[in-house]
Amino acid sequence: MIIASTDNLIKRFGKFEALKGINLALHEGEVFGFIGPNGAGKSTAIRVLLGILQASEGTAQIFGKDAWKDAVEIHKRVAYVPGDVSLWPNLTGGEIIDLFTRLRKKSGQTRRAQLIKQFDLDTSKKCRTYSKGNRQKVALVSAFASEADLYILDEPTSGLDPLMEQVFRQCVQEVKAQGKTVLLSSHILQEVEQLCDRVSIIRQGEIIETGTLQELRHLTRTSITVQTERPLEELGTQAGVHDILTEAEGTMFSVDTKLLGQTIEYLGQHGIVALECTPPTLEQLFMRHYE
Amino acid sequence: MRGLYSGTLSLVRFILRRDRVRLSAWVLGIASFTVLCVPLLADMFGTQEELQGMAVLMQNPALTAMVGPVYGLDNFTVGAMYTNSMLVLMAMLTGVMNIFFVTRHTRHDEELGRLEMIKSLPVGCLSNLAATMFVAVKSNILLALLIGFGIAAFGVESMGLSGSLLFGTAMGAAGLVFAAATAVFCQLCSNNRTASGLSLAFLLGAYVLRAVGDVRAETLSLISPLGLVSRAQVYVENYLWPVWILLGAFAVFAVLAFILARARDLGQGVIPARPGAHHGGRTLSSPLGLALRLCRSTLLAWVAVVVIFGVMYGSVINEVDTFIEGSEMLQAMFTAGGGDSQSFTDQFVSLLMMIMAVVAAIPVVSLMLRIWGEEKQGYTEQIYSTGISRIRLFGVYLGTAFAASVVLQFLSILSFWATASITSDTTPSFGVYLQAAMNYLPAMWALLGLTAALVGIAPSKTAISYGYLGFSFFAVYVGTLADLPDWVLGLSPFYHIPRLPEEEQAWAPLAVLTGLSALLMALGFISYRRRDLRSG
Ligand SMILES: Nc1ncnc2c1ncn2[C@@H]1O[C@H](COP(=O)(O)OP(=O)(O)OP(=O)(O)O)[C@@H](O)[C@H]1O
Ligand SMILES: [Mg+2]
C-alpha cells in the first residue's frame, strides 16, 4: 500500500522553481531515504507533504488524502522532526515533549520516560540553554513517543553524537518492526545505507534516481584490479569498461556494475592469477550525482 | 584593553547597513511628526488673549498628569504651549525607538545566535555593545539636529533656533537614557522578551513617576527622565541643566552595561536561568494552553499597566474639580457658555478614556501578532504537524486578543472609576464609565481585525498595525489641540467612537466598526488558511 506519494509535484517560490515535478511513492512499512545536496529541495518537498506549503502544481498525498486539504486528518497519524528544530526558549524540554505528545493525543508516558532515558536528556532545562543536539533530542523524543503511522524525519541526526545516533537508529528500527513507515532525509550516507529500504536522490528540484540500494549500486561502476596469465589486449573494446590503467602489479579499471558478469567471463578467458573487486560505496554513488 | 573594542567601527557600518531602512524610518518619522505639528499648533491662536486662555486650561491637573507642567504663564507663547503638549510624548516615542534599537542589536541577535558568529570574528568582546551604543548616540544626535533646525525653519516668533535645538536635544538625551538602560536590562536577562519588557516597563514607570510628580510632588519628576525634559522649560527659560543630568544618567547606565557585559558569558544573563519543570503542567495540552502560557507574563504586565494608568488618571479627577472651583475665570467661562463645571471635567474624562483605550489596544495588537512571531521562529510548523488545524490556531490567538481587549478595558475603567470615586465626590456611576470604556471596544477590534487580516494576507507587513495604532493615537491627540481636516481624523477608528460622558451615545458608528472588524477577521481566517507557512 502506498502511504505517501507525490505526483509531478511542482513548488515555486516566486519565479524560482524549488521542485520541478517530483514523483515519490512510499510503501507501507518501509524506511525511505531522501538524499541530495544542500538546497536540493528535500525540506521543501517534506513541507509540501505536510501541508505547510501548498503545491504550485501536481499533487501530494498521504494516506490517500490530499496533503493540503486534509492536513489535519493526516497529521493525526504523522510524527515530524523538522530540519531546524526551534523550540520556545522559555519552556523546558519536558514541557515541550508533553505539549507535543498531548497535542498528538496518542502517546504513552512509559514510552516517554524510556526515550528520555535512552537519549540521556535533561528535561528540566529551558530550551534556550539546550545545545543543537539536545534540541534535536527533544524533537526526536516527542516524535517517537507518539504513536504515528508515518514518521517524517528531516535530517534528524545532524547534531547528534555517534552514541545518540545509534539510539536513533534503534528507534527507527523499532518503529519499522511495528510496520510503520519512515521518510528519512539525511546527509549521513552510512545511516541511509544501514536504515533505508529504498532511496530517492534529488538534485536541483528533480528526482534523479529512485530504487533500492541494490538497484542503485547497479547504476554505478565496480573497481577491479586483476592479474592474468595472458595480456588483456581487447579490454578497451569491451562494453562498459572504463579508465584502464596498467601497472606492474596488474591492470586496474572500472566497469559498469550491471555488465560485471560478462567482464569477469572475459577476464576468465585470459587465466586469472589475482582478482580484487571493490563494490561501489554509496559515497561514490553520491559523488557521481552530487557533482 | 584595546582588544575589547577592536572591530567596533566595522560593526558600526554593519549595523547601519542592516538598519538603514528601519532606523531612518524611525528617525525621519519622529522628526517630521514633531516638526509638522508646529504649523498646526502655531496657526490656531491669533491673539494673546486666546493664548492666555489656553494657558489657564492647560494648567488643569488632568492635562498636567498627561503631558507635564506648563511654564511661562505670565507671557504665554505658542512655543511654551507647543513644548507642553509635545515634548514628553515625543521623548517617550524616542525612548521606544531606542529600546527597540538596542534590544534588536544586542539581546535579540544574541538569542538568535547571530552574535555568536560575529564574536567568532576578530572583534572584541565589547565591540558589539559599543557599536550599538555608538549608533544609538549618532541617531539621537541626528534626531536632535533635524528637529532643532526643522522647527526653527518655520520661523515662529517664540520658537527660535536655540530653543528648538534644546527641544531636540532634550528628546535625544532622554532617548539615550532609555538606550543605555535597555543595554543594562539586556545584560541582566538572558531572554529578549524579558529584556524588552523590562525596558518598556522602565519607560512607563518613568512616565507614571513624572505624572504623579507633576501633579503632587515635584521631586519625583526630577528623578524621571521624562519629568526632566519638561524642566528644561524649552522656549521659556531654556535651561540646560536637565540635559546634563540626562546625559549623566546615560553615562552611568552605559558604563554599568559595559561592566555587566564584560562579566557575563555569551548567551547568558547576569541573572542565571533557573531549571524548570520536568513535566508540562495541565494547561500545556492544547494550543490555547500553550498560547496562554507563552503570553502569560505579557498579559500580566499589561494588566498592571492599564490598572496603573487607571489609578493614575482616576486620582486626577478630584484635582480637576478643585481646579475649576478655584478659578473664577473658568467658572465664568462655563456659565457664559451655558455649560457647567461638570461638563469641563467630563471633557477630560473622555480624553483620558480615549488614551487609556489606545494604550490597552497595544497588547491586543501584539497578542495577535504573536502568531506570526511564532511562525517566523519556526515554532508553528511543529504545532501544525500534530494535527492542529490552522483555523483553530488562528482562532486561539484571535480569541485571546479579543478577550484581552474586553478584560483590559474593564480593568482599566474599574481602576479609574474606583480611584476617581474615592478621591472625588462628583464622580458619576460606574455604569456611565463602563459604557464609555466599552464604547472603545469596536475601535480596538478594528485594529485587531486589521492585524488579523495582515497576518493572513501579508504577514511581513504586520508593522503596519503598530503604525496605524500610532497614527490613530496622534490623530486624535493632535486633533484635540489643532484643527485637522475631518478626513484625516476619520482615518482613525477612535475618532468615530462617541466620547462618553462628554458626548451622547451613538450606536451606528459602533455597529459599523464592529461589522468592519468582523469582515477583516474573516479575511484573516480565510487567507491564513490558504497561504504557505513561513518556516525556519
Ligand atoms: N520560502 C522560500 N522562498 C524562496 N526560496 C526558498 C524558500 N524555501 C526554500 N527555498 C529554496 O528552495 C530550495 C530548496 O530548499 P530546501 O530547504 O528544500 O533544500 P534542502 O534540500 O532541504 O537543503 P538542505 O540539505 O540544506 O537542508 C533552495 O534553493 C532554497 O533556497
Ligand atoms: Mg533541509
Side-chain angles (χ1 to χ4, degrees), chain A residues 11 54 80 88 92 98 123-124, chain B residues 276-278 280 293 374 381 532:
Chain A
K11 177 65 197 174
Q54 188 174 20
Y80 170 53
W88 295 271
T92 65
D98 280 344
T123 47
S124 72
Chain B
H278 280 287
R293 168 67 198 270
E374 299 270 302
E381 187 175 322
D532 284 350

Side-chain angles (χ1 to χ4, degrees), chain B residues 116-311:
Chain B
E116 188 166 341
M117 269 178 13
I118 289 182
K119 290 217 167 170
S120 72
L121 302 170
V123 301
C125 108
L126 296 177
S127 302
N128 188 64
L129 183 57
T132 307
M133 294 316 285
F134 185 83
V135 176
V137 171
K138 252 171 87 164
S139 320
N140 285 292
I141 291 178
L142 181 68
L143 183 67
L145 292 176
L146 282 174
I147 288 173
F149 287 104
I151 296 180
F154 282 102
V156 177
E157 202 194 332
S158 54
M159 301 167 86
L161 182 61
S162 56
S164 305
L165 282 173
L166 180 61
F167 192 99
T169 309
M171 273 171 68
L176 281 177
V177 174
F178 291 111
T182 307
V184 172
F185 289 124
C186 284
Q187 311 310 317
L188 288 179
C189 338
S190 54
N191 173 322
N192 179 40
R193 256 176 201 289
T194 320
S196 30
L198 281 178
S199 310
L200 289 170
F202 179 70
L203 178 87
L204 281 177
Y207 178 75
V208 172
L209 201 63
R210 64 135 281 283
V212 179
D214 287 349
V215 178
R216 296 250 166 76
E218 183 154 9
T219 335
L220 293 180
S221 303
L222 294 180
I223 53 172
S224 158
L226 295 171
L228 278 168
V229 291
S230 304
R231 300 303 178 286
Q233 304 196 13
V234 179
Y235 300 126
V236 180
E237 298 287 348
N238 286 343
Y239 289 133
L240 264 181
W241 60 265
V243 173
W244 291 120
I245 296 183
L246 288 172
L247 292 179
F250 161 68
V252 170
F253 280 127
V255 168
L256 188 60
F258 279 98
I259 292 174
L260 293 174
R262 182 87 180 86
R264 71 180 181 91
D265 291 335
L266 184 71
Q268 308 290 305
V270 173
I271 304 165
R274 279 162 300 149
H278 280 287
H279 285 270
R282 198 147 357 112
T283 47
L284 269 186
S285 48
S286 66
L288 178 63
L290 175 67
L292 289 180
R293 168 67 198 270
L294 293 174
C295 305
R296 189 173 58 189
S297 40
T298 319
L299 275 172
L300 287 179
W302 278 103
V303 164
V305 168
V306 298
V307 169
I308 289 172
F309 262 69
V311 170

